[in-house]
């Protein structure tokens, strides 16, 4: 038995020595006093796995009848008897009193047989004495007396009992010794005992045979072992996002870039927040009597599902229901589609890249960026930063871009624009100073100063302002009548066409040179030159296909650029230095024009002021 269990066993079934002394003091003197010629009995060995049997128990009486010293103990042969099945050490501890009661019943049967034998012997002795008395009275001739000698032992059969543990997971065989000419047990006798005890599972046949051949008495011999249930596995969660999101240092430089990293965990719709592993039930066991033993219950994982999340139909994933940002609060993951920044976008927040709408109550500081798939509302101003909205963009205090700010959105409303670049569908502002604006719709600069001074305004439709240019003649470009992306694509195609034609010309010259050199060498084959000529011809063919596609595309773009525009310019004051382009017509304003409306005249194919 393990050392850690010995103290518990001694505490539960202790006092063995005191009970030994008490029992010995109550025995008759002839049973306790050793014979004069007999050697003193050896002290009983201490069995670490044994459990003391009380002195008044029937098993203790059988023990003393068999002339064993001391008191008996129920000793399961864990280590010394390898034939039996392996039974846990604490099984007997839990079932001691139950097993002891069963052992007492068997022992009482043994005692009853002994008492019956003693009574039969006493009756025979009485009958013999009666006959002797009758012979003494002269009724019959006396028989010669038998020579005196020790009485033969009583004939008591070997006894056994199958003892079942309280939990039904183990069974032992307890054997009591025979006496005289008593019969010994056979395997079929033990099988009958097993059937009577309803032990039908986990029986070790070698253990049964070894128990009968070894003849080990007064000990618990393990002969059957139930099948333990196999525990299952509780469900668990495998999270893909951090509960407490923190910025991490670069693995190479070990430096945290607080500008590049955001403190917001952006998440897309249908993104997997965590995997949910379902519980795996255990396998039931079986007792020695064949009854099932349920496996320990398993628990389902506690899913941290909050607002904006849902468990997948198969129950294996926690999903985001919308585009937004993820936060862990109150023990659950929550997804929100509106991100509120209560202060400035600076080192405390890092760059913002969010799926949804963003509301910034402060400023966007220099060298930071804000990107959102929805609308962006900025209560402060934007410095030399990048702001990009998939929806509308509102900047209450304007943009001071220092030549570096880039603003993108569908419908952009801003108080003022200074030294920045803007891409939008429609733009509304109070004034624009030295900025580049590209709109696929209209540009409206009214309210306040309502001025456009310097820079370039490109709009596919209309431009409306109080004044354009300045009295100092500052160059201001206004281009209307075509979408900015058409102009950019037309310019890019033109550049690519030039590069293609140049490359094709150089390849053709190289191939011609190689062919002429091979001819000058008498037409002798030159593998390297031949391979280079083949590659040049293949590349020229590829470039010709690309040139054909670009030429067709360029023709369509040119048609869009030269189509009759319906754009118009409206302003109260148009100052000298303004370069106005509507469609394919252009004009440089040389003198101030007041209260003008400029359109494209299809007859003269020029700009007309009304």
């Amino acid at each position: 038995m393990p050392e850690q269990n010995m103290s518990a066993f001694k505490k539960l079934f202790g006092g063995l020595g005191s009970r030994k002394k008490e029992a010995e003091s109550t025995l008759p003197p002839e049973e306790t006093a050793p014979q004069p010629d007999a050697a003193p009995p050896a002290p009983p060995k201490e069995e670490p796995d044994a459990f003391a049997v009380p002195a008044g128990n029937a098993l203790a009486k059988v023990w003393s009848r068999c002339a064993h010293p001391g008191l008996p103990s129920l000793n399961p042969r864990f280590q010394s008897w390898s034939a039996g099945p392996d039974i846990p050490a604490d099984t007997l501890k839990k079932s001691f009193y139950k097993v002891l009661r069963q052992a007492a019943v068997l022992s009482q049967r043994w005692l009853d047989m002994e008492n019956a034998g003693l009574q039969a012997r006493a009756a025979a002795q009485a009958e013999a004495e009666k006959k002797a008395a009758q012979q003494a009275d002269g009724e019959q001739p006396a028989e010669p007396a038998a020579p005196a000698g020790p009485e033969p032992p009583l004939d008591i059969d070997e006894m056994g009992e199958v003892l079942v543990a309280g939990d039904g997971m183990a069974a032992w065989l307890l054997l009591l010794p025979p006496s005289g000419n008593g019969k010994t047990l056979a395997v079929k006798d033990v099988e009958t005992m097993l059937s009577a005890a309803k032990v039908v599972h986990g029986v070790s046949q070698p253990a049964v045979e070894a128990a009968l051949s070894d003849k080990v008495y007064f000990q618990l011999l393990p002969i059957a072992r139930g099948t333990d249930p196999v525990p299952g596995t509780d469900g668990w969660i495998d999270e893909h996002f951090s509960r407490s999101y923190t910025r991490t240092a670069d693995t190479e430089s070990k430096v945290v870039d607080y500008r590049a990293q955001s403190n917001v965990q952006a998440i897309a719709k249908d993104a997997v927040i965590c995997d949910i592993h379902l519980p795996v039930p255990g396998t039931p066991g079986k007792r020695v009597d064949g009854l099932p033993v349920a496996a320990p219950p398993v628990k389902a994982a506690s899913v941290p599902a909050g607002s904006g999340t849902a468990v997948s139909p198969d129950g294996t994933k926690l999903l985001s229901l919308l585009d937004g940002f993820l936060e862990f609060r109150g023990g659950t993951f929550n997804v929100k589609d509106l991100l509120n920044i209560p202060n400035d976008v600076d080192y405390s927040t890092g760059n913002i890249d969010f799926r949804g709408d963003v509301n910034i109550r402060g400023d966007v500081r220099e060298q930071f960026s804000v990107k959102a798939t929805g609308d962006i509302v900025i209560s402060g101003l934007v410095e030399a930063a990048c702001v990009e909205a998939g929806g509308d963009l509102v900047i209450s205090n304007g943009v001071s871009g220092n030549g570096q700010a880039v603003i993108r959105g569908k419908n952009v409303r801003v108080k003022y624009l200074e030294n920045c670049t803007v891409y939008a569908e429609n733009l509304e502002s109070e004034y624009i100073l030295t900025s580049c604006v590209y709109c696929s719709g209209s540009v409206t600069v009214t309210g306040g100063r309502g001025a456009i001074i310097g820079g370039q305004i490109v709009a596919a439709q209309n431009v409306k302002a109080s004044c354009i240019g300045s009295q100092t003649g500052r160059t201001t470009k206004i281009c209307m009548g075509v979408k900015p992306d058409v102009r950019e694509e037309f310019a890019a195609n033109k550049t690519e066409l030039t590069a293609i034609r140049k490359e094709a010309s150089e390849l053709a010259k190289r191939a011609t040179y190689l062919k002429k050199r091979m001819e000058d060498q008498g037409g002798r084959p030159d593998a390297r030159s031949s391979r280079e000529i083949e590659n040049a011809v293949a590349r020229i063919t590829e470039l010709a296909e690309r040139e054909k596609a670009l030429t067709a595309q360029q023709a369509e773009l040119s048609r869009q650029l030269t189509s009759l525009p319906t754009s118009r310019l409206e302003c109260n004051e148009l100052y000298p230095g303004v370069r106005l382009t509507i469609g394919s017509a252009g004009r440089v304003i040389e003198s101030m024009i007041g209260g003008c409306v400029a359109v494209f005249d299809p007859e003269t194919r020029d700009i007309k002021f009304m």
Side-chain angles (χ1 to χ4, degrees):
M1 173 179 294
E3 293 294 334
Q4 58 268 26
N5 292 334
M6 290 180 60
S7 60
F9 292 162
K10 291 181 179 179
K11 181 178 180 182
L12 184 60
F13 308 112
L16 177 59
S18 61
R19 287 199 291 269
K20 285 183 180 180
K21 294 179 180 179
E22 179 182 355
E24 292 172 358
S25 62
T26 58
L27 291 176
E30 61 272 16
E31 293 186 17
T32 57
Q35 299 296 328
D37 298 334
K45 296 181 179 179
E46 182 180 356
E47 298 285 352
D49 295 323
F51 296 85
V53 176
N57 190 275
L59 183 60
K61 296 178 181 179
V62 176
W63 177 277
S64 63
R65 294 291 194 276
C66 295
H68 289 293
L71 288 177
S73 61
L74 286 179
N75 180 22
R77 304 201 64 181
F78 293 123
Q79 305 297 334
S80 60
W81 199 59
S82 59
D86 183 19
I87 297 177
D90 62 344
T91 302
L92 180 58
K93 174 183 176 182
K94 298 177 181 177
S95 310
F96 174 74
Y97 290 110
K98 177 179 183 296
V99 171
L100 185 62
R101 286 193 298 270
Q102 298 177 53
V105 173
L106 174 65
S107 302
Q108 189 60 50
R109 284 169 48 201
W110 194 97
L111 293 173
D112 291 343
M113 290 189 67
E114 184 192 42
N115 291 335
L118 291 175
Q119 291 175 5
R121 179 175 289 180
Q125 182 67 25
E127 183 66 23
E129 291 177 355
K130 181 179 178 181
K131 289 181 180 181
Q134 291 175 354
Q135 292 173 359
D137 293 338
E139 296 179 0
Q140 292 182 0
E143 297 180 357
E151 293 184 356
L154 297 173
D155 294 334
I156 302 176
D157 295 339
E158 184 180 35
M159 291 185 181
E161 186 77 16
V162 174
L163 311 178
V164 181
D167 58 3
M169 295 301 292
W172 298 274
L173 178 62
L174 177 65
L175 296 178
L176 297 182
S179 178
N181 296 320
K183 299 178 181 179
T184 58
L185 295 172
V187 173
K188 63 179 182 179
D189 298 320
V190 178
E191 292 175 351
T192 303
M193 298 176 197
L194 290 169
S195 178
K198 299 181 180 180
V199 177
V200 296
H201 174 72
V203 178
S204 173
Q205 192 65 26
V208 172
E209 296 173 356
L212 296 178
S213 62
D214 290 355
K215 302 299 182 183
V216 180
Y217 301 109
F218 296 101
Q219 296 192 26
L220 298 178
L221 306 177
I223 59 172
R225 174 79 167 94
T227 301
D228 292 325
V230 179
T233 304
D234 292 340
W236 77 96
I237 299 296
D238 185 11
E239 297 176 358
H240 293 229
F241 290 84
S242 174
R243 294 188 173 189
S244 56
Y245 186 68
T246 56
R247 301 169 179 175
T248 57
D250 184 82
T251 55
E252 295 182 359
S253 63
K254 307 298 182 182
V255 176
V256 179
D257 187 352
Y258 289 98
R259 181 187 295 115
Q261 296 189 6
S262 172
N263 60 0
V264 176
Q265 289 193 103
I267 191 170
K269 182 181 179 181
D270 297 328
V272 179
I273 300 174
C274 57
D275 290 322
I276 304 171
H277 296 272
L278 301 179
V280 179
T283 304
K286 186 181 289 188
R287 297 172 19 141
V288 294
D289 56 3
L291 296 178
V293 179
V298 293
K299 298 179 181 179
S302 178
V303 182
S307 61
T309 67
V311 178
S312 61
D314 59 0
T316 61
K317 293 177 175 59
L318 180 63
L319 305 175
S320 171
L321 294 180
L322 42 87
D323 293 334
F325 75 97
L326 180 70
E327 66 175 357
F328 186 83
R329 180 174 298 178
T332 60
F333 282 106
N334 302 275
V335 179
K336 299 181 179 180
D337 59 354
L338 175 61
L339 176 61
N340 284 298
I341 307 297
N343 43 27
D344 296 343
V345 175
D346 52 18
Y347 288 102
S348 65
T349 64
N351 296 331
I352 303 298
D353 190 353
F354 181 65
R355 292 179 175 270
D357 300 335
V358 177
N359 182 19
I360 302 172
R361 299 181 183 178
D363 302 333
V364 180
R365 296 300 182 183
E366 183 177 354
Q367 301 301 318
F368 287 89
S369 67
V370 178
K371 296 181 181 180
T373 58
D375 300 338
I376 298 178
V377 177
I378 302 174
S379 300
L381 60 86
V382 176
E383 297 179 353
C386 175
V387 178
E388 182 175 347
D392 296 339
L393 172 61
V394 177
I395 305 175
S396 299
N397 287 351
V399 178
S400 297
N402 195 27
Q404 302 177 44
V406 178
I407 308 298
R408 296 178 184 270
K410 289 186 177 180
N411 299 307
V412 177
R413 289 190 293 121
V414 58
K415 185 176 182 62
Y416 64 87
L417 296 171
E418 291 184 359
N419 301 306
C420 62
T421 302
V422 180
Y423 300 90
E425 293 183 3
N426 298 290
L427 171 66
E428 295 182 18
S429 182
E430 292 187 6
Y431 76 89
I432 301 175
L433 178 64
T434 59
S435 298
C436 295
V437 177
Y438 303 92
C439 289
S440 58
S442 301
V443 176
T444 303
V445 184
T446 57
R449 296 173 61 180
I452 301 176
I453 303 173
Q456 180 180 12
I457 306 297
V458 179
Q461 298 179 7
N462 305 324
V463 174
K464 183 178 181 180
S466 296
C467 65
I468 300 177
S470 65
Q471 296 179 356
T472 60
R474 190 167 186 174
T475 300
T476 304
K477 298 179 181 180
I478 306 294
C479 300
M480 298 184 299
V482 68
K483 293 183 177 180
D485 56 345
V486 175
R487 289 182 179 274
E488 293 176 2
E489 188 175 0
F490 183 84
N493 284 4
K494 184 177 180 180
T495 302
E496 186 176 357
L497 276 172
T498 301
I500 285 175
R501 290 164 182 166
K502 181 179 179 181
E503 182 181 357
S505 176
E506 292 177 353
L507 289 172
K509 291 179 181 180
R510 177 62 178 173
T512 302
Y513 167 75
L514 292 175
K515 289 179 181 180
K516 186 176 183 305
R517 190 178 68 176
M518 292 175 63
E519 292 174 357
D520 293 343
Q521 294 176 354
R524 288 179 299 176
D526 185 346
R528 181 176 179 182
S529 298
S530 299
R531 185 166 55 252
E532 189 173 350
I533 292 172
E534 291 177 1
N535 294 338
V537 172
R539 178 59 180 166
I540 290 173
T541 303
E542 182 181 345
L543 292 175
E545 293 293 330
R546 178 59 180 164
E547 182 182 6
K548 181 179 179 181
L550 285 175
T551 301
Q553 189 176 6
Q554 197 75 345
E556 174 60 23
L557 294 174
S558 179
R559 185 193 66 78
Q560 295 182 31
L561 289 174
T562 57
S563 62
L564 297 178
T566 58
S567 304
R568 57 189 287 145
L569 171 69
E570 298 181 26
C571 71
N572 296 330
E573 298 175 348
L574 187 62
Y575 287 99
V578 175
R579 297 183 179 183
L580 178 61
T581 301
I582 303 179
S584 58
R587 179 178 296 186
V588 177
I589 307 301
E590 298 180 350
S591 60
M592 196 271 286
I593 302 176
C596 70
V597 175
V599 297
F600 181 82
D601 187 356
E603 295 182 359
T604 61
R605 304 192 66 81
D606 197 0
I607 297 174
K608 180 173 70 174
F609 290 94
M610 297 184 296

